[in-house]
């Protein structure tokens, strides 16, 4: 009779009173789990309090990016110093990135702009809110190198993207390796990086006590950079199997299946009843 009301209790004072009334050794497994949940809640409150304390010294500037300061031209590496939560400036580092830096997702373009064109939902390079390379590195630095990265499991990513690995490659400015790692599990990150609802971010461990890593933004930044640098080219297999395969439907699943079968050496033909390929990508997404 006591456990349900205890689980609903959110005050630390009430927990102490309840523990006292139960007596020594009377705390159940349910109350222990509840205590763990409440500790997380308290930690969130403490982080919020700390965030409010330094709100007047917020690290994100008016341009929507972490504030950057560079030393003079005689600095040995001219590494940009980025403003941290505590107001200090230092080079971007990953060890405590999730503590030092705010989650800062790239904003959508204003609706008043988007209704007038068929352009990108997110800012492009000529837009003042487009994230710089430094900001990309800062956001990638927030990835915690978790022991159990739920973001890439079945609860986080349906295609099991190797998210911590390409986050780390972006942090180290290894964009070529990042697109190779992304293509290991994802045939078309151009699609998923834009239209996926990002359950990976909902599963991000950093999101338990703070904002999750901006995984979706980093994903489409990797593939956009790959297109710009000419890193995405036709992958024509050296040997053909002599077998033919028909794929009915040219949506994301059909095109991904065609890509995989083509890499195996099979000759693939994709059939589509509409006048253009793409399936939902063409006719289901505004």
């Amino acid at each position: 009779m006591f456990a349900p009301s205890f689980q609903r209790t959110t005050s630390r004072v009430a927990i102490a009173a309840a523990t006292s009334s139960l007596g020594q050794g009377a705390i159940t497994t349910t109350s222990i789990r509840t205590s763990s949940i409440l500790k997380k809640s308290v930690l969130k409150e403490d982080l919020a309090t700390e965030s409010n304390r330094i709100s007047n010294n917020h690290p994100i500037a008016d341009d929507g990016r972490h504030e950057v300061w560079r030393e003079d031209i005689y600095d040995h590496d001219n590494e940009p110093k980025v403003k941290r939560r505590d107001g200090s400036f230092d080079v971007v580092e990953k060890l405590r990135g999730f503590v030092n830096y705010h989650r800062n997702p790239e904003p959508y373009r204003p609706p008043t702009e988007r209704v007038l064109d068929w352009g990108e939902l997110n800012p492009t390079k000529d837009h003042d809110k487009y994230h710089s390379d430094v900001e990309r590195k800062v956001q990638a630095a927030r990835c915690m190198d978790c022991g159990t990265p739920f973001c890439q499991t079945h609860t986080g990513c349906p295609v099991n993207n190797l998210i911590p690995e390409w986050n780390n490659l972006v942090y180290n400015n290894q964009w070529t390796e990042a697109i190779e790692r992304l293509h290991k599990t994802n045939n078309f990150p151009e699609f998923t990086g834009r239209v996926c609802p990002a359950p990976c971010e909902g599963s991000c461990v950093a999101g338990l006590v703070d904002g999750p890593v901006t995984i979706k933004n980093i994903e489409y930044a990797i593939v956009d950079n790959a297109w710009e640098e000419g890193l995405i080219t036709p992958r024509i297999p050296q040997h053909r199997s002599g077998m033919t395969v028909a794929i009915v439907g040219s949506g994301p699943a059909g095109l991904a299946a065609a890509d995989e079968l083509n890499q195996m050496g099979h000759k693939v033909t994709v059939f589509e009843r509409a006048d253009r390929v793409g399936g939902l990508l063409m006719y289901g997404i505004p």
Side-chain angles (χ1 to χ4, degrees), residues 116-144:
L116 301 177
D117 59 40
W118 295 93
E120 291 281 357
L121 185 64
N122 295 91
T124 53
K125 277 193 172 182
D126 57 346
H127 200 283
D128 58 354
K129 296 297 184 182
Y130 182 81
H131 277 184
S132 63
D133 289 342
V134 173
E135 188 63 30
R136 302 276 187 211
K137 182 172 184 176
V138 169
Q139 295 307 307
R142 297 187 67 250
C143 188
M144 303 192 303

Coordinates of all heavy atoms in Angstrom, one line a residue, residues 116-144:
L116 N 8.3 30.0 -49.4 CA 8.5 30.7 -50.7 C 9.4 29.9 -51.6 O 9.6 30.4 -52.8 CB 9.1 32.1 -50.5 CG 8.3 33.1 -49.6 CD1 9.0 34.4 -49.4 CD2 6.9 33.3 -50.2
D117 N 9.9 28.8 -51.2 CA 10.8 28.0 -52.1 C 10.7 26.5 -51.7 O 9.9 26.1 -50.8 CB 12.2 28.5 -51.9 CG 12.8 28.4 -50.5 OD1 12.5 27.4 -49.8 OD2 13.5 29.3 -50.1
W118 N 11.5 25.7 -52.5 CA 11.6 24.3 -52.2 C 13.0 24.0 -51.8 O 13.5 22.9 -52.0 CB 11.2 23.5 -53.5 CG 9.8 23.7 -53.9 CD1 9.3 24.6 -54.8 CD2 8.7 23.0 -53.4 NE1 7.9 24.5 -54.9 CE2 7.5 23.5 -54.1 CE3 8.5 21.9 -52.5 CZ2 6.2 23.0 -53.9 CZ3 7.2 21.4 -52.3 CH2 6.1 21.9 -53.0
G119 N 13.6 24.9 -51.1 CA 15.0 24.7 -50.6 C 15.1 23.9 -49.4 O 14.1 23.2 -48.9
E120 N 16.3 23.9 -48.8 CA 16.6 23.1 -47.7 C 15.8 23.5 -46.4 O 15.6 24.7 -46.3 CB 18.1 23.1 -47.4 CG 19.0 22.4 -48.4 CD 19.0 20.9 -48.1 OE1 18.3 20.4 -47.2 OE2 19.6 20.2 -48.9
L121 N 15.5 22.6 -45.6 CA 14.8 22.9 -44.3 C 15.8 23.6 -43.4 O 15.5 24.5 -42.7 CB 14.3 21.7 -43.7 CG 13.5 21.8 -42.4 CD1 12.2 22.6 -42.7 CD2 13.1 20.5 -41.8
N122 N 17.1 23.1 -43.4 CA 18.1 23.7 -42.5 C 18.9 24.8 -43.3 O 18.9 24.8 -44.5 CB 19.1 22.6 -42.0 CG 18.4 21.6 -41.1 OD1 17.9 20.6 -41.6 ND2 18.4 21.9 -39.9
P123 N 19.6 25.6 -42.6 CA 20.4 26.7 -43.3 C 21.4 26.1 -44.2 O 22.0 25.1 -43.9 CB 21.0 27.5 -42.1 CG 20.2 27.1 -40.9 CD 19.7 25.7 -41.1
T124 N 21.7 26.8 -45.3 CA 22.8 26.4 -46.2 C 24.0 27.3 -45.9 O 23.9 28.2 -45.0 CB 22.3 26.5 -47.7 OG1 21.8 27.9 -47.9 CG2 21.3 25.5 -48.0
K125 N 25.1 27.1 -46.6 CA 26.3 27.7 -46.2 C 26.2 29.3 -46.3 O 27.0 30.0 -45.6 CB 27.4 27.2 -47.1 CG 28.1 25.9 -46.7 CD 29.3 25.6 -47.4 CE 30.0 24.4 -46.8 NZ 31.3 24.1 -47.4
D126 N 25.4 29.8 -47.2 CA 25.3 31.2 -47.3 C 24.3 31.8 -46.3 O 24.1 33.0 -46.3 CB 24.7 31.6 -48.7 CG 23.4 30.9 -49.0 OD1 23.0 30.0 -48.3 OD2 22.8 31.3 -50.0
H127 N 23.8 31.0 -45.4 CA 22.9 31.5 -44.3 C 23.7 31.8 -43.1 O 24.7 31.2 -42.7 CB 21.8 30.4 -44.0 CG 20.6 31.0 -43.4 ND1 20.6 31.3 -42.0 CD2 19.4 31.3 -43.9 CE1 19.4 31.8 -41.7 NE2 18.6 31.7 -42.8
D128 N 23.3 32.9 -42.4 CA 24.0 33.3 -41.2 C 23.9 32.4 -40.0 O 24.7 32.5 -39.1 CB 23.6 34.8 -40.8 CG 22.1 34.9 -40.5 OD1 21.4 33.9 -40.7 OD2 21.7 35.9 -40.0
K129 N 23.0 31.5 -40.1 CA 22.8 30.5 -39.0 C 23.4 29.1 -39.3 O 23.3 28.2 -38.5 CB 21.3 30.3 -38.7 CG 20.6 31.5 -38.1 CD 21.2 32.0 -36.8 CE 20.4 33.2 -36.3 NZ 20.9 33.7 -35.0
Y130 N 24.1 29.0 -40.4 CA 24.7 27.8 -40.8 C 25.9 27.5 -39.8 O 26.7 28.4 -39.5 CB 25.2 27.9 -42.2 CG 25.9 26.6 -42.7 CD1 25.2 25.5 -43.2 CD2 27.3 26.5 -42.7 CE1 25.8 24.4 -43.7 CE2 27.9 25.4 -43.2 CZ 27.2 24.3 -43.7 OH 27.8 23.2 -44.2
H131 N 26.0 26.3 -39.3 CA 27.1 26.0 -38.4 C 28.4 25.9 -39.0 O 28.6 25.3 -40.1 CB 26.8 24.7 -37.7 CG 25.9 24.8 -36.5 ND1 25.5 23.7 -35.7 CD2 25.2 25.9 -36.0 CE1 24.7 24.1 -34.8 NE2 24.4 25.4 -34.9
S132 N 29.4 26.5 -38.4 CA 30.8 26.5 -38.9 C 31.4 25.2 -38.6 O 30.9 24.4 -37.8 CB 31.6 27.7 -38.2 OG 31.6 27.5 -36.8
D133 N 32.6 25.0 -39.1 CA 33.4 23.7 -38.8 C 33.7 23.7 -37.3 O 33.7 22.6 -36.8 CB 34.7 23.7 -39.6 CG 34.4 23.5 -41.1 OD1 33.3 23.0 -41.4 OD2 35.3 23.7 -41.9
V134 N 34.0 24.8 -36.7 CA 34.3 24.8 -35.3 C 33.1 24.4 -34.5 O 33.2 23.6 -33.5 CB 34.8 26.2 -34.8 CG1 34.9 26.3 -33.3 CG2 36.1 26.6 -35.5
E135 N 31.9 24.9 -34.8 CA 30.7 24.5 -34.1 C 30.4 23.0 -34.3 O 29.9 22.3 -33.4 CB 29.5 25.3 -34.6 CG 28.2 25.1 -33.7 CD 28.4 25.5 -32.3 OE1 29.2 26.4 -32.0 OE2 27.7 24.9 -31.4
R136 N 30.6 22.5 -35.5 CA 30.5 21.0 -35.7 C 31.4 20.2 -34.8 O 31.0 19.2 -34.2 CB 30.8 20.7 -37.2 CG 30.0 21.4 -38.2 CD 28.7 20.7 -38.5 NE 28.0 21.4 -39.6 CZ 26.7 21.5 -39.7 NH1 25.9 21.0 -38.8 NH2 26.1 22.1 -40.8
K137 N 32.6 20.7 -34.7 CA 33.6 20.0 -33.8 C 33.1 20.1 -32.4 O 33.2 19.1 -31.6 CB 34.9 20.6 -34.0 CG 36.0 19.9 -33.1 CD 37.4 20.4 -33.5 CE 38.5 19.7 -32.7 NZ 39.8 20.1 -33.1
V138 N 32.6 21.2 -31.9 CA 32.1 21.4 -30.6 C 31.0 20.4 -30.3 O 30.9 19.7 -29.3 CB 31.7 22.8 -30.3 CG1 30.9 22.9 -29.0 CG2 32.8 23.8 -30.3
Q139 N 30.0 20.3 -31.2 CA 28.9 19.4 -31.0 C 29.3 17.9 -31.1 O 28.8 17.1 -30.3 CB 27.8 19.7 -32.1 CG 27.2 21.1 -32.0 CD 26.6 21.4 -30.6 OE1 25.8 20.6 -30.0 NE2 27.1 22.5 -30.0
A140 N 30.3 17.6 -31.9 CA 30.8 16.2 -31.9 C 31.5 15.9 -30.7 O 31.5 14.7 -30.2 CB 31.7 16.0 -33.2
A141 N 32.2 16.9 -30.1 CA 32.9 16.7 -28.8 C 32.0 16.3 -27.7 O 32.5 15.8 -26.7 CB 33.7 17.9 -28.5
R142 N 30.7 16.6 -27.8 CA 29.8 16.3 -26.7 C 29.5 14.8 -26.6 O 28.9 14.3 -25.7 CB 28.5 17.1 -26.8 CG 28.7 18.6 -26.7 CD 27.3 19.3 -26.7 NE 26.6 19.0 -25.5 CZ 25.5 18.3 -25.4 NH1 25.0 17.7 -26.5 NH2 24.9 18.0 -24.3
C143 N 29.8 14.0 -27.7 CA 29.6 12.6 -27.7 C 30.5 12.0 -26.6 O 31.7 12.2 -26.6 CB 29.9 12.0 -29.0 SG 29.5 10.2 -29.2
M144 N 30.0 11.1 -25.7 CA 30.7 10.8 -24.5 C 31.5 9.5 -24.6 O 32.1 9.1 -23.6 CB 29.7 10.6 -23.3 CG 28.8 11.8 -23.1 SD 27.9 11.7 -21.5 CE 27.0 10.2 -21.8

